[in-house]
Amino acid sequence: IAEETMLVYAPIAHRLGIAALKKYLEDLSFKYLLPSEYQKIDEYIKSHKESFVLKLNEFVDTVEILLRQNGLRDFEIKGRIKHYYSIYLKMQRKGITIEEVLDLLAIRIIVKEKLECYESFGIIHLNFRPLISRFKDYISVPKENGYQTLHTTIFAKNKIIEVQIRTFDMHKN
């Protein structure tokens, strides 16, 4: 059932743009297909969770202040820790350890208009040091499944955080 879910149902959820369901199905299948790898990631995330949550909350607060100081009013910021199967895939693809995964922590900034996505991006890059090779513009060039978001990765107080920026409409789809 886990193999079938990983090969059939998670990709269907992805095609339909239901990311939350895709991630849930992948993590659940991963737990049964590769239990020792799942356990290692689970132990690492659980042992660092408090630190991760503190870093994310501090960063979200800082970004919220910066956006408001620069005239943005109607936005949401959500923080997240990368899901387990995605961590595992990145480790396998790049031949790295979990400590070397750069986007374990991420925030998503959700704004009203496309132009505000680029304004937010500018504010982020003016206030934090970006990893230039880690910028992707899926708004001007959407993915095949219609996914649209700006992605960048920045250094903030000795931590690396991925920042995703999209509109409320993009977030619904």
Side-chain angles (χ1 to χ4, degrees), residues 5-18 21-22:
T5 300
M6 191 70 84
L7 293 171
V8 177
Y9 302 113
I12 289 172
H14 177 70
R15 281 276 191 194
L16 295 172
I18 310 170
L21 179 60
K22 173 192 173 262

Side-chain angles (χ1 to χ4, degrees), residues 56-57 60 77-82 105-109:
L56 275 173
N57 289 341
V60 165
I77 303 175
K78 300 177 181 202
R80 67 112 173 111
I81 300 170
K82 194 172 192 73
L105 304 179
I107 67 164
R108 181 170 287 151
I109 300 169

Side-chain angles (χ1 to χ4, degrees), residues 13 16-21 23 74-80 106-114 117 138-139 145-151 164-173:
L16 295 172
I18 310 170
L21 179 60
K23 292 173 185 175
D74 194 8
F75 62 86
E76 289 180 15
I77 303 175
K78 300 177 181 202
R80 67 112 173 111
I107 67 164
R108 181 170 287 151
I109 300 169
I110 308 167
V111 296
K112 286 179 75 171
E113 305 295 331
K114 281 185 184 181
C117 291
Y138 295 119
I139 292 177
N145 66 355
Y147 177 82
Q148 290 187 291
T149 300
L150 295 175
H151 288 216
Q164 299 177 359
I165 307 167
R166 60 172 57 168
T167 66
F168 288 102
D169 286 340
M170 292 171 195
H171 190 62
K172 287 179 198 169
N173 299 329

Side-chain angles (χ1 to χ4, degrees), residues 124-125 127-131 153-156:
I124 295 298
H125 274 213
N127 289 279
F128 303 98
R129 198 178 76 188
L131 269 155
T153 303
I154 56 95
F155 292 100

Side-chain angles (χ1 to χ4, degrees), residues 15-47:
R15 281 276 191 194
L16 295 172
I18 310 170
L21 179 60
K22 173 192 173 262
K23 292 173 185 175
Y24 173 76
L25 292 173
E26 286 176 341
D27 281 352
L28 193 56
S29 298
F30 175 46
K31 182 177 183 177
Y32 292 99
L33 291 172
L34 299 165
S36 62
E37 286 87 347
Y38 180 93
Q39 186 64 35
K40 289 175 194 169
I41 292 170
D42 187 51
E43 287 171 7
Y44 181 84
I45 296 298
K46 284 182 177 173
S47 69

